[in-house]
């Protein structure tokens, strides 16, 4: 091969690799339902992090560290939800280029991190450096964890050493050549890794600073909620203003009152993070997992700090557009499909059923420019977050087999532009794309064949 051509090819590979693994939102993340127990609470699930029975004698650093692991949602990736023991790794993050497996981070000396020093552990979590000094892939969100304080890191290490050893050899890097070359991540780090510790902002309340610390560090909220550039780095000026994941859209979560959460009270926002739903929204998909594994177990004061911080972010300048005219053919088609298929649960006034079926009226997530999550929800159906406070959660049926792309586009355009909502229309082409991407069957025809 012509060497210049080969170099260009490698460069392209690096670029596309960056966009695929620069943020983990591109992967399907573990549906690790109930994989973690509340601090000081017993978990009855096989994947649960069991709090020791002898809580009273536990080293306080270990207790604090368990909480750090929960706030960091380490189990989301490091515990395989299907057959894994806590933190034993092996869960596959699928990329368009191949697989990356999350490592075994139990205290096993041979296959886990039992033989590591605290310094090596800290370097891996905060700087993305493996034990041999190799670069970790940013699917491991070290670019957020770099903000974690020395004290929290120290406590986290104290806790990780108490995680029962599980022998499970994991070879993380399953990527084919040339994506398997870890040195490539050096370039990514140079471009996108802001290696500076968290600094509280002067003149801002301690509560808001605590919120910023949790959101930017352990919570790694930007991994999903900030849009990425083509290299997989955070887009400038787009902080927490919404990000695209495979089949999902993580909406803007700033104080913007139209598409962000500016219209929610602190209490409503905390309720969402604690129970998985509030007066309008029900967390589903990747956010249901984050609530189930992580935020529901966080202390109320920390959730209020997150709320205070997010609501104070000015966010994007997106304002509501003019709603589509209710008399347009698209809106009328949507109204018909809605009343036949959706109103039983979401109500003809769009208000849904409290804590069970999302309210479609006044729901900011519904009015984002990007309708990806809504299309996925209607095609695939879904389930709200399962939490201690809301153990049953509601389920939404799948409509892929029942409705055509055009019918779904019309219904979504209708719910995005009724009851005071206003958002751009959804097209049949967008629905068709998601159907294809998610490998879903077409609408069933009358004779039972898939179109
Ligand atoms: C979004 C998924 C994700 C989350 C969340 C996550 N990790 Fe990871 N982690 C990974 C992946 C994937 C790797 C392997 C990366 C590689 O080999 O380049 C990894 C690697 C590691 C390693 C290096 C292990 C080794 O053998 O080299 C450590 C240590 C680690 N993670 C600890 C943590 C801790 C502690 C947390 C929580 C604070 C955490 N991780 C959260 C995905 C994740
Ligand atoms: C793994 C990706 C991921 C992570 C990490 C994540 N989110 Fe989300 N979040 C989403 C998705 C996807 C949705 C949309 C869920 C839906 O449509 O039901 C969402 C929805 C939300 C909403 C509801 C917004 C609305 O208008 O309905 C809030 C609030 C929120 N997230 C806050 C957070 C906070 C705070 C963090 C960090 C502690 C966080 N998220 C971390 C993916 C994520
Ligand atoms: C059997 C009850 C039921 C029916 C019928 C139903 N839904 Fe839902 N829907 C739910 C539940 C429960 C949720 C929350 C869980 C989830 O998001 O998966 C939900 C969530 C949604 C969401 C996501 C809202 C958000 O905050 O992200 C949209 C959009 C939606 N439904 C639209 C529709 C449309 C359009 C129809 C008709 C084609 C429909 N639903 C029919 C129960 C239902």
């Amino acid at each position: 091969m012509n060497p210049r051509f080969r170099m260009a090819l490698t460069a392209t590979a690096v670029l596309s690799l960056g966009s695929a693994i620069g943020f983990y939102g591109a992967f399907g993340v573990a549906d690790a339902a109930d994989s973690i127990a509340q601090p000081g609470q017993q978990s009855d699930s096989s994947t649960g992090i069991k709090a020791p029975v002898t809580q009273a004698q536990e080293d306080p650093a270990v207790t604090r560290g368990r909480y750090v692991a929960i706030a960091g949602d380490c189990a989301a990736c490091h515990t395989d939800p299907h057959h894994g023991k806590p933190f034993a790794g092996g869960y596959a993050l699928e990329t368009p280029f191949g697989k990356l497996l999350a490592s075994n981070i139990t205290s096993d000396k041979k296959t886990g991190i039992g033989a590591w020093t605290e310094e090596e552990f800290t370097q891996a979590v905060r700087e993305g450096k493996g034990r041999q000094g190799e670069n970790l892939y940013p699917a491991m969100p070290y670019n957020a964890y770099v903000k974690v304080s020395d004290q929290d890191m120290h406590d986290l290490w104290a806790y990780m050493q108490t995680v029962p050893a599980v022998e499970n050899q994991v070879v993380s890097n399953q990527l084919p050549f040339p994506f398997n070359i870890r040195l490539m991540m050096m370039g990514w780090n140079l471009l996108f890794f802001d290696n500076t510790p968290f600094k509280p902002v002067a003149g801002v309340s301690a509560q808001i600073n605590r919120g910023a610390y949790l959101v930017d560090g352990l919570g790694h909220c930007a991994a999903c909620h900030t849009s990425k550039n083509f290299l997989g780095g955070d887009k400038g000026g787009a902080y927490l203003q919404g990000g695209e994941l495979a089949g999902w859209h993580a909406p803007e979560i700033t104080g913007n009152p139209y598409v962000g959460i500016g219209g929610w009270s602190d209490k409503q926002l905390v309720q969402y993070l604690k129970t998985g739903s509030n007066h309008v929204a029900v967390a589903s998909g990747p956010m249901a997992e984050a609530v189930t594994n992580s935020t529901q177990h966080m202390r109320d004061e920390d959730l209020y700090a997150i709320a205070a911080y997010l609501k104070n972010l000015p966010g994007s300048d997106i304002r509501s557009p003019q709603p589509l005219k209710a008399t347009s053919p698209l809106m009328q088609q949507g109204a018909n499909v809605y009343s036949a298929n959706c109103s039983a649960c979401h109500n003809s006034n769009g208000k849904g059923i409290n804590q069970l079926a999302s309210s479609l009226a006044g729901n900011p997530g519904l009015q984002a420019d990007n309708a990806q999550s809504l299309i996925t929800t209607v095609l695939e159906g879904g389930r709200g977050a399962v939490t201690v406070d809301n153990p049953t959660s509601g389920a939404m049926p799948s409509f892929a087999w029942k409705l055509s792309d055009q019918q779904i586009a019309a219904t979504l355009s209708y719910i995005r532009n009724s009851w005071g909502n206003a958002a751009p229309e959804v097209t049949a082409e967008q629905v068709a794309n998601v159907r294809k991407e998610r490998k879903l069957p077409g609408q069933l025809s009358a004779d039972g064949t898939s179109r």
Side-chain angles (χ1 to χ4, degrees), residues 238-284:
Y239 177 63
L240 299 180
Q241 294 173 14
E244 289 74 52
L245 319 176
W248 292 91
H249 172 73
E252 174 157 356
I253 50 170
T254 70
N256 179 312
Y258 305 99
V259 289
I261 41 78
W264 293 2
S265 68
D266 289 12
K267 202 172 158 198
Q268 287 164 340
L269 184 47
V270 169
Q271 193 189 8
Y272 180 91
L273 297 171
K274 186 93 199 168
T275 69
S277 63
N278 63 12
H279 61 303
V280 286
V282 175
S284 50

Side-chain angles (χ1 to χ4, degrees), residues 72-87:
D73 206 359
C74 315
C77 301
H78 286 281
T79 302
D80 183 331
H82 302 300
H83 31 75
K85 298 249 169 44
F87 300 118

